[in-house]
Each structure stands twice: as C-alpha cells, then as structure tokens.
C-alpha cells in the first residue's frame, strides 16, 4: 500500500437510499466500510416518498425509526387517496387512511410506513453515518476504475473537489450506483428489461394555499382522471410542495408544466414551478446480483415502477440480506456458500415486486377517459358512478395497503430448511407465518418490546417448549463460532403464532428452520443455515 491508500472491509459505491442503508447495516453488524458518493450528498429532487413498513422495522433495528418519523411530514396531514377529474373538480372515488396522529399499529408489525421524501430521508442517514474520516461517507469521490484480485478489490478513486487520487483496498465491494450502474456494466452483467420502457416527466411545484382551499376534501395523492391527464398529483412535504407526474406528448416532447398544472387543478390557486424533469421508467432485473467479490443492490440490481412504492424498499431489503452475510463471512463464522444465497434469495423477490408494481401501473393505464366525465350532466354523473363501482370491485385500495407485498415475501435457498406446505404466495392472502424463509412473526413481548427487537445479531432460537433443554443445540453453535442466543417464551398465544416448539431466526429476522423437537445432532442443521453446505 502507498501513502495515498486506505484499507476497509467493504467499499460501497453510491450514496442513494440503498447505499446509505447498506452502510448502516454493516455498521450495525460491526463491519468497517467506506461509502463513496460522487456528489456533495445534497438531495434537491424530493423523489421517493414513502418508507414502507418493513423498511421502517429495519430503521427501528438501527435506532433511527423515530428520526424518520420526525423528519418533517405533519402527523395530522391526510393520507387519503382520491380519484378526481381534477383537484377541486368532481371526486370519483376515495380511499381513506387515518393520519399518523390518529393511526394505531396493526397487529402484524411494530411500525407503520412513513411519508419521508428523499431530501429528508438522506440527511437522517447521512448524519447517522457521518463524514469520513470520523464517519464512513466520502463525498465528491468518483470511482475511476477497479480490479478484483485474490485478496479482494483495488479501487482507484478521484476526489472531485481537489483532483487528488487515492487507492481503496477492500475485501468486498457493493455497487449501489443506480440503474445505469457503471460497476455492474464493467463486470459484464446485463439487466434485461422485463417490460417496455416508458417516458414520463416529473413536475415539482409549490402551491401554498391548496391544502387550505381543499379543506376536508384534501388528499395526499390525487389520481387525475380526465382526457388530458391520467397520472398522479402528490403532496410531497405536507405543506406546500407537490409533484405531478405526466406522460410526455405523443411526439415525445416535454409538456408545458404550467398548462399541465392548470389542467390538473381546477380551482384558482397560486403556484410556482420548482422543476420539470423527464425520466424513464424501466423494469429491469440484473442477470446476476454478484460478480466475484462485487455485489449489486438497489437500482443497480433491479428497477421497478414506482406504483405501489416498492422500489427503494426492495433495495433496503437487499442491503439487510447482504449485510449480515458479509458480516458473517468477514467475522469468520459463515460457510463458504453463504454469500451465494444473497442472489438466490433476492433475485426472486426483485422479480416478484417488479411484477406487482407493474400490475399497479397497468391498472391505471388501461382506462379510457371520455371527455363527458368532466361535465355536470347526467351522463357525466353516470360514468363517474360506474367508474367508482369498478374501482370498488377491482380493489384499487390494494396498491396503497399491501402489507403482503412488504412483509409476505419468502426466501428460498439452501441456507433455509423448509418443512411441510408453504403459505400462499398471493400477497393478498398474507398472514404472519413462521414458515422457513418468512419474516418471523411480530408480537409484543412487553410494552414497546417486539419479538422483532430480539433479532439482528447472530441466530436466535425462539423456544416455546417448557421442558426440553437447548444446551446441546447452543453448544453446537458455540463450537462453530456462530453467535447464538435462545429466548424461552411462556405465552400460549405467541406459541400458536409461531406454530412450532422451536423456531430458529436469522440475523435479518427471517426464519431459517423450525421444528417441534431439536435434533440430537444439530451440526448438519447449523452448517446448512450458516452456508456450509
């Protein structure tokens, strides 16, 4: 190593939400990492609006859930979704959701989702991680090139502020450098499109009086249903900032933002345009999520339609699955094949969530909108009524209330030991389950203490059998250097929820194995779940 070099366990390339989550998870697991980000870290476009409920559970794990809740969204702001001919025009259908101030927790999770656009989300994580060298983030740092050796990664990095260069030596590298991932491309890994690319534009504007003018009829999201616009208009900060999504004109030209806003809002309100940016909606999943000691997470591995809000949350799931496996490997207790299960487990989830998001997108794009829908005539009333009845029948609410998509995914890999018949794969039939591969069920052990709060470091054996000893099981873990704790629980309701006398939970909170008796010789079981198969 020369003087201008740094050594770390994991180099993360890209400081978007998923790269930040990756760094936080590695820090949580006690792993040294450096995150390089080529910008100064400031987020000006408030994209990504909702941190999903499973991601909020992971923020809880890291100790920052309350910081996300306090980031700025007003607790009393409506969370309703309304389908309207225009804002202030005819309302066709509304899905009501209680504001956070009035909301109670569901029985299946210790957290709810939280509106938190990226310009609020990023600073919470950035402040938590800190700036290098006291923290882990190196801003204004561009990855020039890299090579893989038997020892790991050698990366050449330029500081864009000073022009100086340095070499970063890392055991592993994680690419979170977005949909056009230069790292993934340099590794020769393709990300084929599963559906056609679509062009959109995003208009961000300020309308400080709109919420007061709408009063009790205000919504968080308005789906516009008129011949000019069939896209959403969304409150961004709960105060004055809004985002209007548009399809460009048929010739591909960017639509005039002022004209579009006036088509979307039929009441007289002052507005100021902040930005009008084109973007491409792609549906891609990389052929591989790993290339040697380099891993792809978030948009570098998969891009999804924003319909349903699964994109960033899928990426945060990547970070946690990969994070504990990198930690186990670096700490010396993982088997040789544990890191291979990252791709096995997360590829299937990426495809699943992509298809669910695309189904939401297609539902909104299939409607034919006759001009009479805008009128006060009996014909206009009839069409709006028929559309509302169709929305009720088709269950449009599920795009905005889909716990099965956020919680109901199930991992399948050689590091998970299935038993019996798995639960339904239909996210709209989801119930909490201890079936191997599922996220372990949440229940309250005490006020403020969830079963999920037990999981994070090492394996945890949830133990509902009052007499059988676990010493042999525990000793087998100790012999292999695998961190392990057991938790005996004397609660019939919780035992019924977990559905087996013994449930072994991984550091990411997913079930690895379960059974009504412990094996006499648990060595094979432990080797399997730690990736030594």
């Amino acid at each position: 190593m020369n003087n201008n070099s740094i050594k770390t366990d994991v180099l993360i390339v890209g400081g978007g939400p998923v790269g930040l989550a990756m760094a936080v998870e590695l820090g949580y697991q006690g792993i040294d990492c450096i995150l390089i980000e080529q910008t100064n870290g400031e987020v000006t476009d408030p994209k990504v609006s909702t941190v999903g409920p499973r991601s909020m559970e992971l923020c809880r794990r890291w100790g920052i859930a309350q910081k996300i809740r306090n980031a700025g969204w007003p607790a009393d702001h409506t969370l309703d979704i309304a389908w309207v001919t225009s804002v202030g025009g005819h309302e066709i259908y509304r899905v009501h959701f209680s504001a956070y101030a009035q909301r109670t927790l569901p029985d299946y999770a210790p957290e709810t989702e939280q509106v938190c656009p990226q310009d609020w989300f990023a600073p919470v994580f950035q402040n938590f991680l800190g700036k290098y060298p006291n923290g882990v983030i190196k801003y204004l740092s561009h990855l020039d090139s890299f090579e893989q050796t038997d020892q790991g990664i050698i990366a050449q990095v330029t500081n864009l502020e000073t022009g100086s260069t340095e070499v970063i030596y890392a055991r592993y590298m994680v690419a979170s450098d977005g949909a056009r991932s230069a790292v993934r491309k340099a590794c020769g890994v393709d990300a084929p499109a599963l559906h056609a690319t679509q062009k959109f534009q995003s208009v961000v504007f300020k309308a400080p009086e709109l919420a007061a003018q709408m009063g009790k009829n205000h919504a968080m999201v308005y789906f516009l249903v008129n011949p000019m616009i069939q896209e959403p208009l969304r409150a961004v900060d709960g105060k004055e900032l809004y985002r209007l999504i548009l399809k460009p004109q048929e010739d591909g030209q960017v639509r005039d933002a002022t004209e579009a806003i006036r088509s979307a809002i039929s009441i007289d309100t002052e507005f100021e345009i902040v930005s009008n940016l084109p973007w491409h909606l792609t549906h891609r999943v990389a052929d591989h999520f790993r290339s040697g000691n380099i891993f792809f997470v978030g948009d570098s591995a998969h891009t999804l339609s924003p319909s349903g809000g699964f994109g960033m949350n899928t990426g945060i799931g990547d970070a946690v699955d990969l994070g504990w496996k990198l930690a186990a490997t670096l700490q010396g207790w993982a088997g040789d094949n544990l890191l291979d299960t990252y791709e096995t487990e997360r590829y299937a989830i990426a495809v699943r969530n992509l298809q669910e998001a695309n189904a939401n997108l297609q539902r909104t794009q299939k409607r034919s909108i006759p001009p009479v829908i805008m009128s006060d005539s009996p014909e206009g009333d009839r069409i709006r009524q028929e559309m509302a009845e169709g929305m009720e029948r088709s269950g449009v609410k599920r795009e905005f209330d889909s716990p099965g998509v956020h919680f109901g995914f199930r991992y399948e890999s050689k590091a998970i030991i299935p038993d019996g018949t798995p639960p339904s794969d239909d996210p709209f039939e989801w119930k909490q389950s201890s079936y191997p591969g599922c996220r372990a069920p949440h229940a309250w052990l005490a006020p403020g203490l969830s079963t999920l709060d037990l999981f994070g470091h090492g394996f945890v054996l949830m133990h509902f059998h009052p007499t059988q000893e676990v010493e042999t099981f525990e000793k087998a873990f100790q012999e292999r250097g695998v961190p392990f704790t057991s938790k005996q629980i004397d609660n019939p309701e919780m035992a019924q929820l977990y559905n087996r006398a013994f449930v072994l939970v991984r550091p990411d909170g997913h079930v690895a194995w379960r059974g009504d008796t412990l094996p006499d010789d648990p060595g094979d079981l432990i080797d399997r779940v730690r990736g030594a198969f």
Side-chain angles (χ1 to χ4, degrees):
M1 287 175 52
N2 60 43
N3 290 335
N4 234 13
S5 64
I6 308 172
K7 206 170 184 182
T8 190
D9 286 327
V10 182
L11 173 62
I12 302 166
V13 182
V18 177
L20 293 168
M22 188 80 237
V24 171
E25 174 64 16
L26 288 171
Y28 174 79
Q29 297 292 353
I31 297 301
D32 183 56
C33 69
I34 290 173
L35 186 157
I36 57 172
E37 164 56 40
Q38 61 184 4
T39 74
N40 65 2
E42 185 181 348
V43 177
T44 53
D45 183 18
K47 59 187 176 183
V48 182
S49 294
T50 301
V51 183
R54 177 58 182 153
S55 294
M56 284 301 293
E57 288 182 349
L58 297 170
C59 290
R60 176 190 182 93
R61 160 198 190 91
W62 300 322
I64 55 178
Q66 199 55 46
K67 288 185 171 69
I68 295 291
R69 297 212 182 279
N70 295 343
W73 182 263
D76 59 351
H77 191 283
T78 175
L79 299 174
D80 285 2
I81 316 292
W83 283 257
V84 296
T85 56
S86 63
V87 178
H90 295 284
E91 183 170 306
I92 299 166
Y93 189 75
R94 179 177 288 251
V95 177
H96 176 69
F97 293 104
S98 298
Y100 292 123
Q102 285 83 48
R103 184 166 297 194
T104 55
L105 288 170
D107 59 5
Y108 52 76
E111 300 284 343
T112 62
E113 90 292 341
Q114 177 64 42
V115 177
C116 185
Q118 201 171 321
D119 56 333
W120 294 349
F121 178 94
V124 169
F125 277 72
Q126 290 165 345
N127 294 336
F128 187 77
L129 289 165
K131 190 175 176 181
Y132 190 87
N134 297 319
V136 305
I137 307 175
K138 290 175 75 73
Y139 295 107
L140 297 167
S141 295
H142 180 265
L143 178 68
D144 299 325
S145 63
F146 62 89
E147 60 176 306
Q148 291 209 59
T149 70
D150 292 341
Q151 283 73 46
I153 311 298
I154 304 172
Q156 311 285 334
V157 178
T158 294
N159 183 306
L160 299 176
E161 192 172 27
T162 65
S164 62
T165 60
E166 63 188 3
V167 180
I168 300 179
Y169 294 85
R171 293 277 301 280
Y172 298 97
M173 185 160 80
V174 178
S176 55
D177 54 340
R180 298 187 187 91
S181 178
V183 174
R184 176 174 51 72
K185 290 175 181 174
C187 292
V189 176
D190 191 21
L194 301 190
H195 300 284
T197 297
Q198 296 189 40
K199 277 185 74 172
F200 288 91
Q201 63 191 86
S202 173
V203 178
V204 177
F205 64 97
K206 291 178 180 177
E209 303 301 322
L210 183 60
Q213 287 172 297
M214 290 299 294
K216 63 181 177 53
N217 293 321
H218 194 35
M220 179 177 72
V221 181
Y222 296 96
F223 276 95
L224 299 157
V225 186
N226 70 53
M228 293 285 291
I229 307 177
Q230 291 102 51
E231 271 78 44
L233 186 156
R234 176 170 184 148
V236 173
D237 64 356
K239 301 176 183 72
E240 63 174 7
L241 208 60
Y242 296 85
R243 178 192 298 277
L244 174 62
I245 300 297
L246 298 171
K247 286 284 277 184
Q249 299 177 97
E250 288 190 13
D251 61 3
Q253 293 298 306
V254 172
R255 289 169 69 173
D256 179 81
T258 299
E259 181 186 313
I261 293 168
R262 288 191 173 133
S263 295
I265 303 174
S266 60
I267 57 176
D268 186 20
T269 192
E270 287 188 14
F271 62 85
E272 174 193 343
I273 295 164
V274 175
S275 61
N276 181 11
L277 300 170
W279 57 281
H280 289 85
L281 169 58
T282 60
H283 313 78
R284 295 178 177 272
V285 179
D287 288 333
H288 299 289
F289 285 16
R290 179 183 189 181
S291 177
N293 283 348
I294 299 171
F295 298 85
F296 315 121
V297 297
D299 284 356
S300 74
H302 43 71
T303 57
L304 286 62
S305 163
S307 304
F310 311 135
M312 178 185 76
N313 298 295
T314 304
I316 291 174
D318 296 343
V320 173
D321 186 275
L322 178 59
W324 80 266
K325 291 170 182 175
L326 283 171
T329 304
L330 288 161
Q331 290 161 356
W333 56 267
D336 291 343
N337 301 309
L338 185 65
L339 285 173
D340 286 337
T341 66
Y342 164 65
E343 178 177 313
T344 315
E345 293 180 1
R346 293 303 300 176
Y347 180 91
I349 305 308
V351 173
R352 167 192 186 265
N353 291 1
L354 180 150
Q355 301 295 20
E356 188 62 42
N358 185 60
N360 289 335
L361 177 70
Q362 293 303 320
R363 239 191 330 272
T364 62
Q365 294 188 334
K366 283 179 179 172
R367 299 189 187 108
S368 174
I369 311 299
V372 72
I373 198 169
M374 307 291 289
S375 78
D376 291 324
S377 66
E379 179 69 358
D381 285 341
R382 184 185 64 79
I383 288 173
R384 290 189 293 272
Q385 181 63 31
E386 285 178 358
M387 187 172 284
E389 289 168 0
M391 288 178 173
E392 182 70 33
R393 279 195 308 273
S394 65
V396 292
K397 182 178 181 180
R398 75 187 213 168
E399 178 178 340
F400 308 98
D401 185 21
S402 48
V405 177
H406 290 281
F407 296 110
F409 61 90
R410 175 170 51 86
Y411 291 144
E412 292 182 344
S413 73
K414 289 182 179 177
I416 286 167
I417 304 170
D419 72 333
T421 305
S424 167
D425 281 336
D426 183 342
F428 302 101
E429 293 178 3
W430 174 73
K431 293 178 181 173
Q432 292 203 94
S433 173
S434 70
Y435 189 87
C438 295
R439 175 274 225 160
H442 152 75
W444 293 110
L445 293 161
L449 180 66
S450 165
T451 49
L452 305 190
D453 298 330
L454 302 177
F455 314 136
H457 299 105
F459 285 82
V460 177
L461 182 69
M462 302 293 277
H463 177 192
F464 301 94
H465 196 296
T467 57
Q468 191 170 353
E469 298 295 334
V470 300
E471 279 77 5
T472 304
F473 201 68
E474 186 169 359
K475 188 178 177 188
F477 273 91
Q478 289 172 348
E479 287 169 353
R480 288 160 176 78
V482 179
F484 171 85
T485 56
S486 65
K487 177 74 174 176
Q488 183 165 336
I489 296 170
D490 183 16
N491 180 314
E493 284 184 11
M494 217 174 290
Q496 188 175 8
L497 179 64
Y498 271 74
N499 199 29
R500 293 291 189 277
F502 301 97
V503 178
L504 182 66
V505 183
R506 312 190 312 185
D508 60 354
H510 284 256
V511 176
W513 167 88
R514 64 180 185 172
D516 283 325
T517 57
L518 293 173
D520 293 331
D521 181 6
D524 287 348
L525 185 158
I526 296 167
D527 284 343
R528 177 100 174 257
V529 300
R530 71 183 182 94
F533 41 76

